[in-house]
Amino acid sequence: MLEVLDHPLITHKLTLMRKKETGTKDFRENLDEIAELMAYEICRDLPVRPINIETPMGATTGYELSKEVVIVPILRAGIGLLDGIRRLVPTAKVGFIGMYRDEETLEPHEYFAKFPKNLDEAIVMIVDPMLATGGSACDAISLIKERGAKNIKLICLVGAPEGVKAVTEKHPDVDVYLAALDEKLNEIGYIVPGLGDAGDRIFGTK
Ligand code: PRP
Ligand code: URA
């Protein structure tokens, strides 16, 4: 399943991020705000269970989240989406996957992995701003599945058709959420029009 969350506020903030003159501070702040807006939409279908409570006026039945949420940013750039989602789901646990893309081959290389327990019971949200060839996302999803996860959502900001195809073909059971589906990849594997190198723009490394 692919869902493009093209809410006007998300699109407006994403347009600010795309502009080449937008600096690190504004880039990061807009990413953080978009993450929160996307999370609000994506969390619509989180399961709840009934719970008996007492209000000051008497007994009633309320509802509480019935499954643990685990957010897994793909380092580095995925970190930029973490706080915005955590503001809405403050009880979420956090795992990490360190992965970088070889600039020549575009192949992903894993360098770090750390997860909370009981991934098999949780709703796991893998987050990364960019879905380009889809290599990093596909490997991250495989890694999470090896650790037992069954309910996985992939949340990215900008996707290329190539990346969406790769993920939905290899992992048809994973729900994919984007803020925008862009036109294509260029000859060096960057998304066009995209927003450039997300990690460098978040952390000011170029
Ligand atoms: C970027 C991005 C994704 C990956 C997408 O990370 O954040 O993880 O590339 O490309 P793909 O879909 O072709 O695999 P990068 O490897 O540049 O690392 P960084 O986050 O440390 O900058
Ligand atoms: N990684 C990025 O940061 N940007 C792209 O356009 C593609 C991969």
Side-chain angles (χ1 to χ4, degrees):
M1 187 278 279
L2 167 69
E3 189 170 347
V4 181
L5 300 168
D6 52 359
H7 186 287
L9 289 176
I10 294 177
T11 309
H12 176 85
K13 292 172 194 295
L14 177 58
T15 301
L16 295 173
M17 292 179 69
R18 289 186 191 274
K19 288 182 181 178
K20 63 180 179 193
E21 64 270 25
T22 298
T24 298
K25 177 177 180 290
D26 289 334
F27 189 89
R28 216 176 43 235
E29 286 175 1
N30 279 290
L31 177 59
D32 178 63
E33 289 167 14
I34 292 175
E36 187 168 351
L37 291 167
M38 290 183 80
Y40 182 75
E41 292 291 332
I42 291 162
C43 287
R44 257 176 213 289
D45 65 355
L46 288 187
V48 291
R49 63 181 162 224
I51 171 178
N52 294 329
I53 57 164
E54 295 271 342
T55 78
M57 311 309 290
T60 188
T61 302
Y63 294 88
E64 62 180 9
L65 295 179
S66 61
K67 287 205 175 237
E68 196 155 78
V69 173
V70 175
I71 308 166
V72 180
I74 301 180
L75 306 177
R76 290 176 301 167
I79 290 278
L81 291 157
L82 178 59
D83 285 349
I85 302 176
R86 270 186 119 189
R87 275 199 298 281
L88 289 193
V89 194
T91 52
K93 295 188 172 158
V94 182
F96 292 96
I97 298 177
M99 220 169 245
Y100 72 90
R101 202 170 70 140
D102 184 294
E103 285 182 9
E104 299 293 320
T105 66
L106 302 184
E107 288 295 317
H109 294 274
E110 182 199 325
Y111 59 86
F112 186 74
K114 179 94 181 163
F115 305 110
K117 292 196 184 97
N118 303 331
L119 286 184
D120 54 329
E121 301 285 328
I123 295 172
V124 181
M125 299 181 177
I126 301 177
V127 301
D128 189 331
M130 309 308 279
L131 179 63
T133 66
S136 304
C138 282
D139 282 10
I141 294 166
S142 298
L143 192 67
I144 297 277
K145 284 184 174 174
E146 281 165 24
R147 309 287 175 116
K150 294 183 184 70
N151 190 335
I152 303 175
K153 297 177 187 295
L154 175 70
I155 304 172
C156 300
L157 202 60
V158 181
E162 295 87 336
V164 171
K165 184 167 183 285
V167 172
T168 50
E169 280 182 6
K170 185 156 187 207
H171 298 289
D173 53 320
V174 171
D175 294 335
V176 181
Y177 299 90
L178 298 175
L181 178 60
D182 274 11
E183 197 187 318
K184 59 177 182 183
L185 291 180
N186 70 9
E187 61 288 349
I188 54 166
Y190 275 77
I191 301 173
V192 179
L195 45 74
D197 189 304
D200 285 339
R201 295 194 70 184
I202 292 167
F203 297 109
T205 39
K206 224 169 231 173

